[in-house]
Amino acid sequence: MAQELILKVTGMDCDGCVKAVTRAATGAGTAPISVDLKSGEMRLPADADVAAISKAVTRAGFGIAD
């Protein structure tokens, strides 16, 4: 069973973006394990509510790649 989930976040180009994505995910109920600017990957606990986090990140102005 997976220990974590990985979402690909689009539109991040600075450390401020990483902080904004982290705040959005945390506000949706799950603090990310990590958000990597270079790869665009957000690592989340396996039990994270992906739909809520995706919605919050999109609302913050970023995208989630399929």
Side-chain angles (χ1 to χ4, degrees):
M1 189 163 159
Q3 296 296 328
E4 61 186 35
L5 302 169
I6 299 174
L7 292 181
K8 186 78 168 177
V9 180
T10 59
M12 293 191 305
D13 57 10
C14 67
D15 288 336
C17 295
V18 170
K19 290 177 184 175
V21 167
T22 301
R23 276 193 308 270
T26 302
T30 303
I33 295 168
S34 67
V35 179
D36 184 68
L37 177 61
K38 187 174 181 179
S39 68
E41 290 183 346
M42 177 171 43
R43 296 181 181 275
L44 298 161
D47 62 349
D49 184 345
V50 175
I53 292 169
S54 296
K55 186 175 182 179
V57 168
T58 302
R59 214 178 300 141
F62 303 94
I64 302 293
D66 290 330

